[in-house]
């Protein structure tokens, strides 16, 4: 068994994880662009490793807090960017670019609700992926991890499964609000979302690593409850809808906008 330890770094609006091996590092999502310096400082000062040990950054989906730092990290470390194989870019075309701006706005909104100041979160909406992966593929250079396609939040979400330690990084598939597992507000494909939950449940993970919380233990009942309560129709996040919800019910909005 490879010796591996997973550490968590608090990012701008998310938690970013590094799988630490004796001679290499795997980043589970890139964080926002403004998180890149913190991630590199963590590698050099806390882990006391050269940044060149960062071999791979996985990008589970294209939202700013998951993909935003990837290209800058590649420039600074030479790491590979690995993400889902997909026919078209998530932020394709004019509507896609508007959606990208909307998601950047939502990132600032969530950051401001968390008391954070404005930082640079801009990134290219069209990600240059070095290696495209599909369901069941190993992560390049980290073959003890398996890629799972878990769409629903967006059309291309990945989760990452480490069978030896029964841990799954589930990105935005599952959130915790007030100690309860909940679905993200944005569900673009409800049917696929349920199937994705079922796929992760079938693996019987002992720990899930959440992008908007920390590690959590999860049981079958938790998965069943999530599947029961998940929306049956697509649910979209637009800045306008989130802000209007905030006016009507700020408490509700504060809980639900944790994930853009
Ligand atoms: Fe997301």
């Amino acid at each position: 068994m490879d010796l591996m330890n997973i550490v968590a770094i608090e990012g701008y609006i998310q938690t970013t994880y590094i799988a630490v091996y004796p001679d290499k590092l795997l980043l589970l999502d890139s964080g926002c662009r403004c998180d890149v310096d913190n991630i590199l400082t963590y590698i050099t000062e806390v882990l006391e490793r050269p940044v060149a040990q960062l071999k791979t950054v996985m990008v589970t989906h294209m939202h700013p807090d998951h993909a935003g730092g990837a290209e800058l990290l590649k420039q600074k470390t030479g790491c590979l960017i690995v993400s889902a194989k997909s026919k078209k870019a998530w932020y394709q075309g004019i509507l896609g670019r508007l959606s990208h701006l909307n998601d950047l706005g939502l990132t600032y909104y969530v950051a401001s609700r968390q008391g954070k100041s404005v930082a640079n979160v801009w990134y290219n909406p069209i990600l240059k992926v070095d290696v495209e992966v599909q369901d069941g593929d190993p992560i390049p250079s980290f073959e003890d991890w398996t890629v799972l396609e878990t769409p629903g939040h967006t059309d291309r979400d990945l989760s990452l499964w480490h069978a030896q330690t029964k841990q799954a990084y589930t990105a935005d598939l599952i959130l915790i609000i007030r100690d309860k597992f909940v679905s993200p507000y944005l569900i673009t494909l409800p049917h696929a979302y349920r199937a994705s939950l079922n796929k992760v449940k079938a693996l019987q993970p002992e720990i899930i690593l959440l992008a908007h919380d920390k590690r959590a233990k999860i049981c079958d009942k938790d998965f069943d409850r999530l599947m029961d309560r998940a929306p049956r129709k697509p649910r979209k996040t637009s800045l306008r809808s989130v802000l209007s919800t905030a006016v009507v019910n700020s408490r509700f909005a504060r809980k639900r906008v944790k994930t853009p």
Side-chain angles (χ1 to χ4, degrees):
M1 183 186 287
D2 285 323
L3 286 170
M4 188 270 298
N5 177 37
I6 298 177
V7 296
I9 303 173
E10 277 312 306
Y12 191 46
I13 62 164
Q14 81 297 326
T15 307
T16 298
Y17 299 92
I18 307 179
V20 180
Y21 292 76
D23 57 347
K24 60 185 180 179
L25 305 168
L26 165 66
L27 193 61
L28 309 180
D29 276 329
S30 70
C32 297
R33 181 197 177 99
C34 59
D35 292 315
V36 167
D37 283 347
N38 278 348
I39 290 169
L40 297 179
T41 301
Y42 189 93
I43 289 172
T44 54
E45 293 189 4
V46 180
L47 299 177
E48 297 182 325
R49 306 285 189 92
V51 294
Q53 282 199 1
L54 181 62
K55 300 297 180 196
T56 302
V57 54
M58 286 300 308
V59 174
T60 62
H61 63 292
M62 279 303 297
H63 285 153
D65 47 333
H66 297 262
E71 290 192 359
L72 190 56
L73 279 164
K74 183 180 173 179
Q75 281 172 30
K76 295 197 171 198
T77 69
C79 66
L80 282 182
I81 298 176
V82 180
S83 195
K85 185 172 185 145
S86 191
K87 283 184 184 147
K88 62 171 195 169
W90 173 247
Y91 292 123
Q92 176 119 334
I94 292 172
L95 285 177
R97 299 309 167 97
L98 290 173
S99 174
H100 182 239
L101 293 175
N102 180 75
D103 291 347
L104 291 171
L106 273 171
T107 302
Y108 283 127
Y109 176 68
V110 173
S112 75
R113 299 297 296 237
Q114 295 178 358
K116 309 272 175 69
S117 51
V118 173
N120 183 6
V121 294
W122 173 260
Y123 65 111
N124 190 335
I126 309 298
L127 184 68
K128 295 186 193 83
V129 177
D130 296 303
V131 182
E132 293 184 327
V133 286
Q134 292 179 282
D135 196 54
D137 285 349
I139 296 180
S141 303
F142 299 88
E143 283 76 15
D144 46 327
W145 286 86
T146 306
V147 171
L148 307 173
E149 289 178 355
T150 52
H153 174 55
T154 72
D155 67 353
R156 65 198 62 206
D157 306 64
L158 300 177
S159 293
L160 307 169
W161 172 235
H162 193 257
Q164 291 169 0
T165 58
K166 296 186 82 63
Q167 296 181 85
Y169 172 62
T170 50
D172 286 352
L173 185 72
I174 300 168
L175 308 184
I176 292 181
I177 293 175
R178 294 193 173 180
D179 298 325
K180 289 198 174 118
F181 293 109
V182 296
S183 306
Y185 186 79
L186 175 68
I187 300 279
T188 51
L189 301 167
H191 184 71
Y193 179 75
R194 280 191 179 73
S196 296
L197 287 171
N198 229 351
K199 184 187 279 187
V200 178
K201 176 190 171 189
L203 294 168
Q204 296 283 291
E206 285 178 6
I207 299 284
I208 56 171
L209 305 162
L210 304 167
H212 293 276
D213 208 281
K214 297 246 165 113
R215 331 169 185 237
K217 291 197 170 202
I218 192 163
C219 65
D220 285 354
K221 274 189 183 171
D222 295 320
F223 280 108
D224 293 342
R225 208 173 292 126
L226 277 166
M227 284 185 263
D228 277 351
R229 294 179 182 177
R232 309 269 158 189
K233 291 180 182 170
R235 223 168 40 185
K236 291 185 179 172
T237 48
S238 71
L239 194 54
R240 199 171 139 212
S241 68
V242 169
L243 290 174
S244 58
T245 305
V247 170
V248 174
N249 186 343
S250 62
R251 213 167 139 198
F252 176 82
R254 187 165 57 245
K255 288 191 293 179
R256 282 299 197 186
V257 297
K258 283 186 94 174
T259 306

